[in-house]
Amino acid sequence: MINRYPLLIFDWDGTLVDSIARIVESIHVAEAACDLAPQSDKAIRGIIGLSLSEAFCVLYPHVIDDGRLVEHFRAAYSDHYLALESEPSLLYPGVADTLAQLRERGHLLAVATGKGRRGLDRVLAGQGWLDFFDVTRCADETAGKPDPLMLHEILAFTGHQPGQALMVGDSVFDMQMAQRAGVDSVAVSYGAQSEAVLREWCPRLVVDDFSELDEWLARCD
């Protein structure tokens, strides 16, 4: 079978895994620990997809030069998030079955995430997926979103051209990264950001349920 998009690249939080509420809660806990003015849930959801360092710069630009505060925030966030993840966040409905079906149809599967490598490896292990994806890239080992470098690296690793790949994500940073890399995108409406915001970046498709991706790809082939 010839696939229109032989390489499928997925964001992690908010796309494959239902972890948005835990991220928001952990940011609020870190704010309190650092005596920072609390941001709204909407504002926090708006930075999900960035690395934690970049998210901090967006949310608290007035204190980004305070290195000790930044590290205190990072530690407080990580400690709380890790405690929550003692019971791993659940995959969204249909994700496991759909990814298995896509692999059976011959697609290569990749992850491009704002998580750090240690964090991604931990959650992959929790899902039993350490060897499931063909390639993964994290924000602490390359440029973070929306810089297209992690997509360029995934394409180089797999030997594919931009037109052979599809980026699937839930944030504008995913859509922007895909555009800058010359890669088509699909947005999911159930993650961090609204469908209206995501449509501004012209994804090929917006899905309300992850299983819709498999149906659409089958029609593209």
Side-chain angles (χ1 to χ4, degrees), residues 15-133:
T15 299
L16 301 181
V17 176
D18 187 5
S19 53
I20 300 301
R22 291 182 174 186
I23 293 172
V24 172
E25 178 182 329
S26 299
I27 292 286
H28 284 315
V29 167
E31 288 173 333
C34 296
D35 293 322
L36 291 167
Q39 301 293 309
S40 68
D41 288 0
K42 181 178 180 181
I44 294 172
R45 291 170 72 94
I47 55 79
I48 293 176
L50 296 175
S51 69
L52 187 57
S53 296
E54 291 166 330
F56 185 93
C57 291
V58 173
L59 292 173
Y60 319 104
H62 57 295
V63 292
I64 58 176
D65 293 329
D66 188 337
R68 292 181 65 183
L69 182 65
V70 173
E71 286 307 310
H72 186 195
F73 182 93
R74 184 195 302 276
Y77 171 90
S78 298
D79 288 348
H80 189 76
Y81 189 80
L82 282 172
L84 293 175
E85 282 289 302
S86 61
E87 181 177 339
S89 296
L90 297 176
L91 298 171
Y92 283 109
V95 165
D97 289 344
T98 299
L99 291 178
Q101 291 163 5
L102 293 171
R103 180 172 289 288
E104 288 176 6
R105 288 225 310 270
H107 293 278
L108 294 182
L109 306 180
V111 170
T113 178
K115 298 181 88 67
R117 170 54 61 187
R118 288 177 61 189
L120 180 64
D121 285 349
R122 184 186 68 254
V123 295
L124 287 173
Q127 298 293 343
W129 278 359
L130 279 174
D131 299 316
F132 184 79
F133 293 96

Side-chain angles (χ1 to χ4, degrees), residues 150-173:
M150 67 171 69
L151 293 190
H152 292 323
E153 292 175 348
I154 290 171
L155 291 167
F157 182 89
T158 61
H160 288 84
Q161 297 300 311
Q164 297 176 293
L166 184 73
M167 177 70 207
V168 183
D170 71 312
S171 76
V172 296
F173 309 115

